[in-house]
Amino acid sequence: MTPGFSFEVIATLGNARAGILHTPHGDIETPVFMPVGTAGTVKAMTADELRAPPLDAKIILGNTYHLYLRPGLEVIGGAGGLHRFAAWDRPILTDSGGFQVFSLAGINEIDDDGVTFRSHIDGSKHRLTPEISMEIQRVLGSDIAMVFDQCPPGDADEAIHELALARTTAWAKRCRECPRADGQAVFGIVQGGIDTARRLRHMAEITALDFDGYALGGLAVGENLADTYRILDEVAHQLPADRPRYLMGVGTPADLERGIAAGIDMFDCVMPTRNARNGYLFTSGARVNIPNNANRLDFGPIDPECPCATCRTHSRAYLRHLYLAKEILYARLATLHNLTFYARHVRRLRDRILAGPH
Ligand SMILES: [Zn+2]
């Protein structure tokens, strides 16, 4: 692995693993959920709030596509990289921009060299190639960079999948040869949709390139949940045992539990942060839809089992009022709660692996 990085598995339970990913910016206990900091901020949270227990986020994610378009590399490079720009001293993983280009931007052209697209912000024309994506991630200075891949939609036909796979492998090889920031690790991405044989074939191609870790991409992109889980069960545990395994962009608390059981170590998803802002709060019981009238006179916390500052301090009735009044404090309190719920959920599952079979 890249100097400064190492990964140790300290306990297993079936295919599930509890481990520690050592990085130059600190150790990350795995399984881990990474809050998504799309534009250099985990929306509504300060760096201090993210670091403070019980949330205690050990790593966050940044989006190459968004940061490249706004504020741009001149600004982030001028600040000395994303850690300094965002005042975040713990690890950062950046995606390659591929997923956003294929899902958000107006695609002009995909060819074997890269993708030409139009910005979702102002329609301006840009190009991403494996080399450009790695250069952006080098300037951002993330601890973990992701290879540039082509993620086809869940319902893509055979020919599109095969073309995307061939490109993703060729692009992974090119990413591997690119200059990196000091101490920057690179993860490969396994595509292949919901066809197990195709996934395993692509896994063999990507793992042969010897990356610092491996991700499963192209899941939860519109396919049936049963197919997502089948691929997880059939593929995740076959990824190299001595490298961290990352399931990109997934998902619900139940998805995380399923992924961990299948052998996944790292997750990211906008669900806890986005749902919080939209009024959906996760609890150890039923999910709370905060605007519901049932919360109008409910002076208890969102989740009596949650140790976050929101639950220790404020009632459902107060949060409902803030939400309906469109007070900005609502987004902050709700996000802190949902991220704390996800962090504790994954830590509980880790503790279960450490405790062993009963
Ligand atoms: Zn809470």
Side-chain angles (χ1 to χ4, degrees):
M1 294 177 82
T2 298
F5 279 82
S6 61
F7 180 64
E8 51 177 329
V9 175
I10 58 177
T12 59
L13 183 62
N15 287 325
R17 299 124 58 89
I20 302 173
L21 176 59
H22 303 279
T23 85
H25 277 106
D27 289 351
I28 303 161
E29 293 186 339
T30 63
V32 66
F33 178 80
M34 304 182 280
V36 177
T38 304
T41 160
V42 175
K43 290 190 196 303
M45 291 288 98
T46 67
D48 280 341
E49 287 166 334
L50 291 167
R51 281 187 293 252
L55 171 50
D56 196 15
K58 300 293 192 193
I59 176 170
I60 61 172
L61 191 139
N63 283 123
T64 286
Y65 169 88
H66 290 284
L67 293 166
Y68 161 73
L69 289 179
R70 191 170 55 192
L73 293 189
E74 191 183 353
V75 176
I76 298 179
L82 186 55
H83 286 94
R84 281 196 201 160
F85 188 54
W88 176 256
D89 54 357
R90 294 182 179 182
I92 297 174
L93 181 149
T94 46
D95 64 8
S96 68
F99 182 78
Q100 277 75 27
V101 164
F102 290 106
S103 60
L104 270 185
I107 298 282
N108 281 77
E109 190 191 341
I110 310 172
D111 54 50
D112 288 342
D113 185 52
V115 186
T116 303
F117 63 94
R118 286 194 182 276
S119 159
H120 74 291
I121 300 169
D122 60 8
S124 57
K125 200 169 168 182
H126 301 272
R127 184 156 176 83
L128 268 182
T129 65
E131 289 76 17
I132 295 170
S133 169
M134 292 301 287
E135 174 59 14
I136 297 169
Q137 295 183 80
R138 187 189 68 76
V139 174
L140 294 177
S142 54
D143 299 85
I144 301 171
M146 300 300 299
V147 298
F148 188 65
D149 62 331
Q150 182 175 347
C151 177
D155 57 359
D157 65 25
E158 185 75 21
I160 289 177
H161 268 295
E162 288 299 331
L163 187 58
L165 279 197
R167 278 198 186 124
T168 297
T169 300
W171 291 357
K173 287 178 185 164
R174 284 162 56 184
C175 287
R176 231 183 148 278
E177 302 309 314
C178 292
R180 304 176 189 180
D182 273 351
Q184 187 175 46
V186 180
F187 282 15
I189 303 178
V190 174
Q191 291 284 354
I194 56 170
D195 182 316
T196 303
R198 197 161 53 203
R199 277 270 171 195
L200 293 177
R201 174 160 51 87
H202 196 238
M203 183 177 82
E205 291 178 17
I206 295 296
T207 56
L209 298 174
D210 192 25
F211 287 103
D212 294 298
Y214 297 97
L216 293 180
L219 288 174
V221 291
E223 77 281 7
N224 288 324
L225 191 59
D227 287 324
T228 314
Y229 286 172
R230 178 177 50 77
I231 290 295
L232 276 175
D233 289 345
E234 292 175 347
V235 175
H237 69 279
Q238 301 200 54
L239 287 162
D242 62 345
R243 301 291 154 98
R245 303 163 175 164
Y246 165 29
L247 177 58
M248 302 183 81
V250 180
T252 66
D255 294 343
L256 266 54
E257 186 162 1
R258 196 59 194 254
I260 289 168
I264 297 290
D265 307 302
M266 304 168 71
F267 301 86
D268 80 283
C269 191
V270 294
M271 187 169 280
T273 40
R274 182 178 290 168
N275 278 10
R277 298 193 302 280
N278 290 332
Y280 295 102
L281 303 174
F282 294 95
T283 78
S284 47
R287 199 170 73 160
V288 171
N289 187 8
I290 202 68
N292 279 357
N293 205 44
N295 299 313
R296 192 171 76 93
L297 292 170
D298 188 334
F299 301 107
I302 301 164
D303 185 347
E305 292 179 22
C306 179
C308 86
T310 303
C311 290
R312 282 191 285 104
T313 315
H314 297 297
S315 66
R316 292 184 180 198
Y318 182 61
L319 286 158
R320 176 178 183 272
H321 156 67
L322 295 180
Y323 177 87
L324 293 176
K326 297 186 166 49
E327 287 290 337
I328 54 177
L329 179 60
Y330 167 77
R332 294 175 38 69
L333 296 174
T335 302
L336 179 66
H337 167 75
N338 270 2
L339 284 177
T340 304
F341 178 87
Y342 263 63
R344 293 179 71 239
H345 176 59
V346 170
R347 263 177 236 143
R348 261 197 307 272
L349 294 167
R350 185 177 197 271
D351 289 342
R352 198 188 291 173
I353 300 166
L354 292 172
H358 294 289

